Amino acid sequence: MKNIVVILAALSCIGFLTSARLPENGPLPATRPGKSNTTTSAPAPPPIPEQKPESGKPETPPVKEDSPNSSAIPEKQGPKLPSQQTLEEQHLTIAAESEAEHSECVRELQSLGVVFKDISRIDDGNGCGIDKPIKVSEVLPGIKIKPDAVFRCPVALALARWMKESVIPAARIAAPDQGNILAINQASSYICRLRNGAETGKVSEHARGNAIDVASFSFEKGKDIAVQPRREDSTLIGAFQRTVSAAGCLFFTTVLDPESDAAHETHFHLDVLERKGGYRYCH
């Protein structure tokens, strides 16, 4: 009987335990001081340290092409080439002339009958000028140069010889009805400028008193013979111009005619520039 009571009590306990339910939400853990029990977000990634420039100097922030300050960064420029320099930037000087050579040249001019006079030294600054200039009014007896021309003595001597030995004989054949040549009409003698009147580039030989530009020849009768493009001119006048142009390089070191370029379509440029090896330029 006692054993039956014990068994019934045990069964009653088991039934009670199986009918019991656990609570849906368990107890929350106690909150530590200074912390809230709200849900926190994921931790932020650690900051990336800035890279130090290799040179040890602070880097200059790049400037975008469309930034208003993009033009503020100047480009490095090297020294200008001679062809890019103005007359002032070239720092030229006036070439000194030998007194003995000048005196010898003057004696030759006098023997040819050239009418001229010595004038004071010309110095217009920036290397423009002539150490021993002369002013010529007649290149040979009875043949004037209009207007009077200023240059160095060697130019006058080359001009007189060219006229005497080439131009006058050729004109007698090409224009026999026009009589003697009375004048050379010049377009430029001494003038301070760069070649072809450009703003930059090499100095003109006119600025050194080494050049003369011949525009036309005047005769006793008939029209002047003007210097102009005549490469295809099959007349005697065309032959005259081509003849005296070619002969010019026997007396001058540079001859530029109307066929050389657009800047010389109306005249001969004749100069006595000395080049290495006695080189001459004729066109």
Side-chain angles (χ1 to χ4, degrees), residues 230-235 237-247:
R230 296 184 187 272
R231 178 175 294 171
E232 306 301 328
D233 186 349
S234 59
T235 67
I237 300 303
F240 164 76
Q241 179 173 299
R242 292 191 295 273
T243 298
V244 299
S245 175

Side-chain angles (χ1 to χ4, degrees), residues 21-41:
R21 293 183 178 180
L22 295 174
E24 294 182 0
N25 296 319
L28 294 175
T31 303
R32 293 181 180 180
K35 299 284 185 177
S36 66
N37 58 0
T38 58
T39 304
T40 58
S41 59

Side-chain angles (χ1 to χ4, degrees), residues 85-150:
Q85 294 178 347
T86 64
L87 186 61
E88 292 79 6
E89 291 172 330
Q90 296 183 43
H91 306 294
L92 304 172
T93 58
I94 299 172
E97 295 187 64
S98 164
E99 184 64 45
E101 291 178 0
H102 179 73
S103 298
E104 177 61 27
C105 180
V106 165
R107 284 193 291 270
E108 292 190 55
L109 291 184
Q110 292 170 339
S111 67
L112 290 168
V114 180
V115 179
F116 68 97
K117 64 179 179 179
D118 288 304
I119 58 177
S120 301
R121 185 177 188 271
I122 299 173
D123 186 351
D124 289 330
N126 300 314
C128 290
I130 308 173
D131 188 29
K132 293 178 171 56
I134 63 172
K135 177 182 283 189
V136 177
S137 55
E138 290 188 18
V139 296
L140 286 172
I143 302 179
K144 296 184 179 299
I145 184 165
K146 296 182 178 179
D148 292 355
V150 174

Side-chain angles (χ1 to χ4, degrees), residues 31-276:
T31 303
R32 293 181 180 180
K35 299 284 185 177
S36 66
N37 58 0
T38 58
T39 304
T40 58
S41 59
I48 300 174
E50 296 182 1
Q51 294 182 352
K52 296 182 179 180
E54 295 179 1
S55 61
K57 297 181 181 180
E59 292 182 336
T60 302
V63 181
K64 296 181 179 179
E65 291 184 359
D66 57 353
S67 169
N69 295 325
S70 60
S71 61
I73 301 177
E75 295 182 359
K76 292 183 179 180
Q77 296 183 350
K80 290 183 179 179
L81 298 174
S83 61
Q84 300 172 323
Q85 294 178 347
T86 64
L87 186 61
E88 292 79 6
E89 291 172 330
Q90 296 183 43
H91 306 294
L92 304 172
T93 58
I94 299 172
E97 295 187 64
S98 164
E99 184 64 45
E101 291 178 0
H102 179 73
S103 298
E104 177 61 27
C105 180
V106 165
R107 284 193 291 270
E108 292 190 55
L109 291 184
Q110 292 170 339
S111 67
L112 290 168
V114 180
V115 179
F116 68 97
K117 64 179 179 179
D118 288 304
I119 58 177
S120 301
R121 185 177 188 271
I122 299 173
D123 186 351
D124 289 330
N126 300 314
C128 290
I130 308 173
D131 188 29
K132 293 178 171 56
I134 63 172
K135 177 182 283 189
V136 177
S137 55
E138 290 188 18
V139 296
L140 286 172
I143 302 179
K144 296 184 179 299
I145 184 165
K146 296 182 178 179
D148 292 355
V150 174
F151 31 55
R152 293 176 56 238
C153 183
V155 178
L157 184 58
L159 187 63
R161 289 173 173 170
W162 177 59
M163 288 294 299
K164 181 179 180 179
E165 299 178 31
S166 174
V167 178
I168 292 174
R172 286 174 180 165
I173 298 172
D177 297 335
Q178 292 189 221
N180 296 324
I181 296 177
L182 295 181
I184 294 177
N185 301 300
Q186 60 102 354
S188 180
S189 56
Y190 168 76
I191 183 172
C192 182
R193 63 173 173 81
L194 297 178
R195 292 182 182 180
N196 299 328
E199 294 183 0
T200 59
K202 292 184 178 181
V203 67
S204 170
E205 292 307 306
H206 288 279
R208 298 179 179 276
N210 284 334
I212 178 73
D213 289 347
V214 175
S216 64
F217 304 93
S218 296
F219 293 78
E220 290 177 321
K221 296 176 287 183
K223 296 180 179 180
D224 292 356
I225 295 180
V227 178
Q228 61 189 43
R230 296 184 187 272
R231 178 175 294 171
E232 306 301 328
D233 186 349
S234 59
T235 67
L236 284 173
I237 300 303
F240 164 76
Q241 179 173 299
R242 292 191 295 273
T243 298
V244 299
S245 175
C249 229
L250 299 175
F251 307 95
F252 296 90
T253 58
T254 306
V255 177
L256 300 176
D257 65 16
E259 267 64 57
S260 63
D261 57 35
H264 298 90
E265 285 188 343
T266 59
H267 62 273
F268 293 133
H269 169 89
L270 311 169
D271 73 46
V272 295
L273 170 65
E274 293 184 7
R275 298 183 176 88
K276 293 181 180 179

